[in-house]
Structure formats: C-alpha cells, structure tokens
Amino acid sequence: MAELLLDLFCEEIPSGMQARAAGDLARLLEQTLADLKPRNIRSFYGARHIAASLEVDESIPTRTISERGPRENAPEKALAGFSRKHGVSPDELTKENGFWVLNRTLPPVKAAELIAEQLPDLLWKFPWPKAMRWGNGSLFTWVRPLHHIACLLDGQTVPFSLARQDDDAHGLKSGNVTEGHRTLSPGSFTITSTEQWLRELETRHVVINEEKRADLIRQGVHKLAEEKGLTLVEDEGLVQEVSGLVEYPVPLLGRIDDAFMDLPPEVMQVSMRVNQRYFALRTKDGKAAPYFAFVANQTFSDGGTLCIAGNERVLRARFADARHFWDLDRKTKLANRVDALKLVTFHAKLGTQEERARRISTLAGIIARAMGLDDAQVKHAERAGLLAKADLTTGMVGEFPELQGVMGGYYAAHDGEAPEVAQAVAEHYMPRGLQDGTASAPVSVAVALADRLDMLAGFFAIGETPSGSGDPYGLRRAALGVIRTIRDNGLRLDLGNLLSRAAETYAGKDGRNSALDELEPFFTDRLRVQLRNEGRRHDVLDATLAVTQVQEDRSLFTDHLDGDLVRLLSRVEALSDMMDTEDGQNLLAAYRRATNILRIEEKKDGPHHQAPEAALYVQDEERELDAALNKAGPKITASLADDDFTSAMQHLAALRPIMDRFFEAVTVNADDADQRLNRLRLLSAFSRNGQLIADFGRIEG
C-alpha cells in the first residue's frame, strides 16, 4: 500500500467551480488508477488548490489477460487482421470454445510508472466547465493559470511532464512543492506526505478543509453579530460562496451610514450580497441593523480598521446607486408602468408582459371567486394581477432582478394602493424555491396561482414543455408551486376548471387546445414527486387516482386527476394509513385473490356484474358476505360523498374477516354452474365496493 497525493496549485478558482472540480479529480483518479485498487480517497479544495489523497497498491502484479478473436471458421483475413492488431502471429493464438483466443502474460507494473503514464492525459482532459489559455503557444488549458503540480507517492516525487510533441504545456512538470497564502505566507514549500502538507498549509495560513473554512465563517459572523446584540440573516449559499473566495477567513464588522437606513431591507441585503458578498444583520425585532459583516482573506496589524473603512466606503457608493433607483422609480406610479410592459416581451409566441399582466388579472379574479372571496377582495386580486409585473420596468429591478415582486409591493404601497394589493404584488412569486414559504393572504394566493397557471397553460399550449432534465421555463417548479399553495392553504378548488379557464386564450376553433391534455399527467407526476420527497407512497396515489375518473366528471382532464387536490390527498392519506395496518394488508390480499379469480373466470363467461341471487346461497359464509356487502356499500358511498375517507376505509376494512371466512369455507368454482356464477357475482360485488375507494391492484406489498 502506498499513499498518493496530487495537489494542483493555480491562480484563484471561481468559487462555484471548486467543489465539482475536487469531486471530478477524485473520480477520475479512481477510474484511471483502477488497476491499483485506489481506496480511502479524500479530496480537498480552496481558492487556489484542488487536491486529492488516496491509497493505492504499490504495483500491478503479473497477470494473464485473454482476448477473444474471430471464430474458428472465420476467413483467414479476419484472423490475420486480429493478429496484426495485437502485434502477434497467428501461431500464438489458441482455440477455445470455437474461437481464436490470444492469451498474454503481462509483466508487473509499478504504481509510479502507471501514475506517470496516466496523469498527463488526465490533466489535459480535465473537465472544467470553462477553461482558459495563457502565455504563448500552448494549447493546454486550465481554469486559471496552473503553477505547480505536486505528485508524491509515499513521499517521493512521481516525475512526469505535460509536454506533448511541439507543445511544451507552459513547461509544467510534476514536483514536490506548492504554496501557502499569497500575502501572509508567500513563497513555496516542499511536501513530504499528505499529513505534512495539511499541517504546513495551515501553518502558512491556508485552511484547505472546506467544512472547516465554512465553520470559521459561520461562527465568526455569528459572534460579531451577537457582540452587537444583533442576529444574522442566515444565508448558507453566501457562506459557501465566500468560503471559496478566501483561504484564511477573517470575519469583520462594518457600519452602514444612517442616511441609507430608510432603504427597503431587501434592497440593502441584495445589494450587499450580490455586489460585495456581505452578510446582512437584523435587530432583535427583525428590522435591518445599521451593520454588515464581511470576510477578509487575511489578518491585519491594525485589527482590520483600514479594511473596514474601505469596505464601508465601497458600500456607501453601492447604496448611493440603490438610493438613486429608489427615488427615481417612485416618481412614476406603478399603474402608469403597465403600458411600458408592451415593450417587454414575455415570449415570442405568448406576447408581451402587458398582455400577460391582463391575463393574470382576469384569472386572479376567477380564482378569487372560486376561493369564495368577497367582491372587494376579487377587485383587489384583479388589480394586483394587473400590477404584478409592472416593476420589471423599474431601475431597481433592472439592477437587481432578484427583487422582482418585492419592489412592486413597495412601490404599490407608496402609490397608495390598497394594502392587500401591495401585499399580493410583493408575494405573488412565492414560493420562490423549495425552502421558501407559500403565500397565505387570500388575495396574494389568488394572484400567485394565477401567475403560475397562466404560465403553465401558455407554454403547454405552444408545445414548450419540459423534456428529460430540461426545463428552461421552470414549469416543474411552477406546478409544484401551485400544488404547495393549494395544499398549504387547504383550498377546495377545481384545478381542472381553473386550468381550462387559463387556457381559454389559447383555444382553437373547437374551443380547446389539445396540448393542454398533457397538463393532467404533468401535474400528476409533480404530485408524485412531492409525495415521494415527503416519504409518502406513490403506489397509493396511483391506486387512488385510478378511480377518480369514475367518481368525478372533469371537463379538462381525460385521465384520472381529481382537480380538488385537498380531497385527493385526503383520500391518499386515509388509504395509506389503512395499508399500514394488519387489516389493510389482509384486505389487500383478499382483494387480490378475488380479482385474480375474476380475471381468469371472466375470460370464460364474464363479466359477472349482475347482482347475486340469495336463493342460490347454500353456505352461511355466502349469506354473511352478501349481508355485509349490502350494509357496507351504502355506508362507503355516503362517507365518500361527505369526504370522510377515513370512515369509508373503516367500512371497507370491516369486510376483511368476513372475506377470510368466505375463502376458507367456500369453493368459488363449484361443480354446480349456477352456484359458480353466483359466487363470482358475489366476488364482483366485493371488488366493486373496493373500487369505490381505490384500485387496490396498483398497491405494492
């Protein structure tokens, strides 16, 4: 066993590329050196280092390989070609199982030899998302100019060069040196082992462990905030980004001029994050604090005073720009900006943002009425829908696209719009991501749903649907946003009808758009994804969906999705709970046994949907099952009508012991033909009772 260390030292690597590059390096080393049985692979990355350490065998032992050639009766040309390809004569081949076979014994290969042979090609082909050339003449590329390639096997340099024919690859060769921090510990040092390399880097002010760097940043900024009695606006994405920018993190605290504290806190936070990678702070009552935290890449003899002053000066300039947009934007009312949306294209086939705003306005009113909102709220929803996209024409959103909606809410409030309207404009993009909450104010909910339903109907109507992993318009996210908003607010809406209303603009001469038929399976698939992410059973959803078409009349959907998602998910939850019980599992077994018998026998003389005749019963178990079915059926139907799915499941589960006794005592395929048909009709009645609730045949387990 030998220890291999590969450290690639270059100029500053973009933060977002580092983790992937380290993973690629470990993966490629494992693949390239597979014959050395690599194990215990560790990867490291930072602003200027991508590295990996692993254990490998010291050599590849002598081994025999066999390669099968042409068949024995193949033409001589085929045999000659195979021999020529492998540099042997036909006499060196043997016959095995009807084929010519080449058996060769390969000599042992030392690990250092294989590494030196394979690594140059690995580095030439390294899969950076973006790479650059530098210097003169060489075609070798790297993410940034590469300075050192340290490659050691058990402390000894593995010598190789990246030069190829007439390309000197910038003279890059492997060695045993690398560098520490650019300013705190300039210069190179010699490496002897992985552990020595780690210790020396830390001594030279490079924290190469990414988790440790991130922890130092988190703990440092939290401590600075606590010392001022403030709280940090949590931003893990920013922590990771800053961690990739610094080698030796030193958190510092700066102050914001009071003159800028009346800016919206979202403006301040986004400006600090996007432009400067600063952390925003809040007071105990949640208001924006007049401080910001940032992370320097070195220590300071003055405690960072000069550095803090410089960053405060830069932030003043950034906030001055934000102040300019804030003041300028408010001079034009949001309502007066709607016409300007005619100059903003939403999609070439779907018109302008102004046309879309009017569609959203109309649809928001329809949804508000479906939610049971009063006339005033309906008008607020229509007004908010019209204004929802107007902030796209503002300077602030042009500078910070992340503030879409948020700024519209501020400008609407400034213009004197109703509070519900301003809130809905601000919240209609919610949820913006998986971790974001959904809108909860009634008017906001109506506009948020209208925005997404219009987008889904429009893109499906023009055939721009997601395919494979591609979803350029975020339609999967939009559908999940609809589902989450409906579920979180417990809305009893007919989703199919709302989609139909959203699609009216795109209907053909026949009054509908056939492309919208794809929306039902699309929403069903998104529902499966969400339930799976929650740890729910997708088979129970499929079993429930299978009977929805029988239960409900949906004008848009031609398959099975119940447009009332709250009702549908209540059915799923009730069925899932029952399937987790012993009665549920036994009932499932009885159902499968009954349907298997029916499937076989109905090929002979089915279907057997007629009502069974009591006069043909000869066993008490038949009579007991008939009585139980006549009693359970109406109860199940009544419970389903009341959306009491738990009770419906309980009524069905009560049949389980009766079915057990029936199968134990009764021979369904009796010799008497009339008794056989009657018993099959009895099983069919049982099956139909189950199908009122779900297609149990689709449930796994």
Side-chain angles (χ1 to χ4, degrees):
M1 181 183 72
E3 178 192 75
L4 172 65
L5 171 65
L6 179 64
D7 177 21
L8 306 167
F9 175 83
C10 64
E11 297 296 326
E12 280 74 7
I13 305 166
S15 181
M17 295 186 186
Q18 295 169 16
R20 173 180 168 181
D24 285 341
L25 181 61
R27 174 180 56 82
L28 292 172
L29 285 173
E30 185 174 20
Q31 294 174 357
T32 303
L33 306 179
D35 290 337
L36 294 174
K37 301 177 182 178
R39 51 205 177 269
N40 298 329
I41 302 176
R42 293 185 289 169
S43 60
F44 308 90
Y45 61 91
R48 297 197 294 166
H49 293 264
I50 299 294
S53 173
L54 57 155
E55 295 175 357
V56 296
D57 289 347
E58 295 181 354
S59 65
I60 303 173
T62 302
R63 62 205 187 279
T64 300
I65 63 170
S66 296
E67 186 160 353
R68 193 171 71 177
R71 291 184 178 274
E72 290 182 17
N73 57 358
E76 289 187 7
K77 287 185 177 180
L79 184 61
F82 178 75
S83 301
R84 187 167 54 253
K85 173 184 175 182
H86 293 282
V88 297
S89 67
D91 296 338
E92 296 178 64
L93 305 180
T94 60
K95 295 180 180 179
E96 295 180 14
N97 300 321
F99 290 88
W100 290 101
V101 176
L102 173 62
N103 294 309
R104 290 195 294 185
T105 299
L106 300 180
V109 179
K110 293 182 179 180
E113 295 175 0
L114 181 65
I115 293 167
E117 177 186 348
Q118 297 294 330
L119 257 58
D121 193 52
L122 183 155
L123 297 179
W124 269 88
K125 297 180 179 179
F126 197 81
W128 290 106
K130 291 184 179 180
M132 63 175 289
R133 295 178 185 173
W134 68 96
N136 296 317
S138 177
L139 297 179
F140 178 79
T141 63
W142 202 247
V143 62
R144 294 292 185 270
L146 181 61
H147 294 311
H148 298 296
I149 303 171
C151 184
L152 288 86
L153 185 66
D154 271 350
Q156 300 299 313
T157 300
V158 179
F160 61 82
S161 169
L162 296 191
R164 286 182 170 182
Q165 297 177 350
D166 297 331
D167 192 326
D168 70 349
H170 311 288
L172 288 166
K173 298 179 181 180
S174 61
N176 62 351
V177 298
T178 190
E179 296 184 27
H181 195 281
R182 186 188 297 274
T183 57
L184 295 178
S185 301
S188 61
F189 66 91
T190 301
I191 306 171
T192 58
S193 69
T194 298
E195 294 307 316
Q196 179 266 347
W197 172 75
L198 289 170
R199 291 193 302 271
E200 193 71 23
L201 281 178
E202 189 165 351
T203 301
R204 293 173 178 267
H205 301 91
V206 175
V207 181
I208 196 62
N209 183 288
E210 196 284 328
E211 291 184 4
K212 184 176 180 180
R213 273 199 318 277
D215 282 341
L216 289 172
I217 292 170
R218 290 189 202 95
Q219 295 170 11
V221 293
H222 272 290
K223 182 180 179 182
L224 290 173
E226 290 171 359
E227 289 174 353
K228 293 289 186 180
L230 307 173
T231 58
L232 179 72
V233 177
E234 299 293 342
D235 191 339
E236 184 59 25
L238 183 56
V239 170
Q240 297 300 324
E241 183 177 5
V242 172
S243 177
L245 297 175
V246 298
E247 293 183 310
Y248 192 74
V250 179
L252 297 170
L253 192 70
R255 202 177 193 292
I256 300 172
D257 283 359
D258 292 339
F260 299 112
M261 291 307 298
D262 62 335
L263 287 172
E266 295 89 348
V267 170
M268 298 169 67
Q269 181 180 346
V270 170
S271 179
M272 288 190 290
R273 189 194 197 285
V274 172
N275 290 321
Q276 302 302 131
R277 283 33 172 201
Y278 294 162
F279 292 87
L281 304 174
R282 295 280 185 269
T283 60
K284 294 297 184 182
D285 57 2
K287 296 180 180 179
Y291 292 93
F292 65 96
F294 67 98
V295 180
N297 190 32
Q298 65 180 74
T299 58
F300 303 93
S301 58
D302 63 354
T305 300
L306 189 60
C307 180
I308 292 171
N311 280 272
E312 289 175 343
R313 184 170 60 253
V314 170
L315 188 59
R316 280 196 294 273
R318 294 294 186 185
F319 281 174
D321 291 341
R323 163 74 68 193
H324 168 74
F325 292 127
W326 173 241
D327 292 339
L328 183 64
D329 289 343
R330 289 181 296 169
K331 292 180 180 179
T332 303
K333 288 189 175 182
L334 203 62
N336 294 338
R337 293 181 177 275
V338 174
D339 279 348
L341 291 174
K342 293 177 180 178
L343 302 177
V344 183
T345 300
F346 173 56
H347 187 279
K349 296 180 180 180
L350 296 176
T352 66
Q353 288 285 7
E354 188 267 347
E355 293 172 310
R356 183 162 187 253
R358 298 193 183 280
R359 292 197 303 269
I360 293 173
S361 176
T362 299
L363 188 56
I366 293 170
I367 295 172
R369 291 186 184 91
M371 292 170 59
L373 303 188
D374 59 37
D375 291 343
Q377 290 174 309
V378 171
K379 290 182 179 179
H380 290 329
E382 292 171 341
R383 179 68 172 175
L386 182 66
L387 301 180
K389 305 300 176 183
D391 66 354
L392 295 176
T393 66
T394 64
M396 189 73 82
V397 172
E399 180 74 8
F400 302 114
E402 301 89 339
L403 294 176
Q404 292 176 40
V406 173
M407 296 315 303
Y410 278 110
Y411 295 144
H414 174 267
D415 296 342
E417 298 285 349
E420 296 89 343
V421 172
Q423 183 180 9
V425 172
E427 296 179 348
H428 82 279
Y429 284 105
M430 297 174 65
R432 294 174 182 265
L434 290 177
Q435 306 304 319
D436 192 20
T438 55
S440 58
V443 176
S444 300
V445 168
V447 180
L449 290 175
D451 179 32
R452 288 165 175 80
L453 293 178
D454 172 76
M455 182 167 68
L456 287 161
F459 281 110
F460 269 79
I462 64 174
E464 295 283 358
T465 58
S467 59
S469 60
D471 187 12
Y473 302 110
L475 301 184
R476 293 189 181 103
R477 184 172 63 249
L480 278 176
V482 170
I483 293 170
R484 285 186 56 197
T485 301
I486 290 174
R487 291 183 66 188
D488 290 354
N489 291 281
L491 300 178
R492 305 301 302 271
L493 298 173
D494 186 334
L495 180 59
N497 180 62
L498 293 180
L499 280 168
S500 182
R501 298 298 300 272
E504 288 177 351
T505 302
Y506 314 104
K509 294 181 180 179
D510 59 355
R512 62 177 278 106
N513 190 304
S514 59
L516 294 173
D517 293 340
E518 299 179 28
L519 269 172
E520 184 274 337
F522 180 72
F523 265 96
T524 300
D525 184 59
R526 291 302 92 200
L527 196 56
R528 286 193 187 98
V529 169
Q530 187 170 25
L531 293 180
R532 187 163 55 245
N533 291 340
E534 295 172 3
R536 304 289 188 89
R537 295 177 54 169
H538 65 86
D539 58 329
V540 173
L541 172 63
D542 291 340
T544 306
L545 288 171
V547 298
T548 305
Q549 178 68 14
V550 178
Q551 302 278 333
E552 305 296 338
D553 178 18
R554 289 286 170 261
S555 59
L556 172 66
F557 293 149
T558 59
D559 203 344
H560 305 302
L561 184 65
D562 184 348
D564 187 339
L565 296 186
V566 173
R567 176 173 57 200
L568 172 63
L569 292 171
S570 295
R571 293 170 70 101
V572 170
E573 186 171 355
L575 180 57
S576 182
D577 289 344
M578 187 176 79
M579 287 298 101
D580 289 337
T581 67
E582 183 179 357
D583 277 350
Q585 288 298 312
N586 291 335
L587 181 67
L588 177 61
Y591 179 89
R592 286 176 173 169
R593 185 173 180 181
T595 53
N596 285 338
I597 293 172
L598 288 169
R599 184 172 59 253
I600 295 170
E601 298 305 315
E602 286 185 352
K603 293 178 181 178
K604 302 175 183 178
D605 53 7
H608 304 100
H609 297 332
Q610 300 92 330
E613 297 180 26
L616 293 174
Y617 295 146
V618 296
Q619 293 181 239
D620 290 340
E621 289 79 8
E622 294 175 280
R623 300 183 183 93
E624 182 185 18
L625 178 56
D626 181 70
L629 289 172
N630 289 332
K631 182 180 179 180
K635 290 182 177 180
I636 292 172
T637 302
S639 295
L640 291 174
D642 293 337
D643 291 347
D644 188 353
F645 305 114
T646 299
S647 293
M649 303 295 173
Q650 291 170 346
H651 295 316
L652 185 63
L655 297 174
R656 195 272 299 176
I658 301 170
M659 288 300 302
D660 289 346
R661 289 193 289 272
F662 176 85
F663 281 125
E664 288 173 4
V666 177
T667 301
V668 176
N669 287 316
D671 293 334
D672 184 284
D674 289 339
Q675 288 182 10
R676 169 184 168 275
L677 286 174
N678 207 50
R679 289 169 181 175
L680 288 172
R681 291 167 181 172
L682 196 57
L683 289 185
S684 181
F686 166 67
S687 176
R688 289 197 302 275
N689 272 283
Q691 288 173 353
L692 290 172
I693 294 174
D695 180 358
F696 286 86
R698 300 196 183 198
I699 298 178
E700 301 171 358

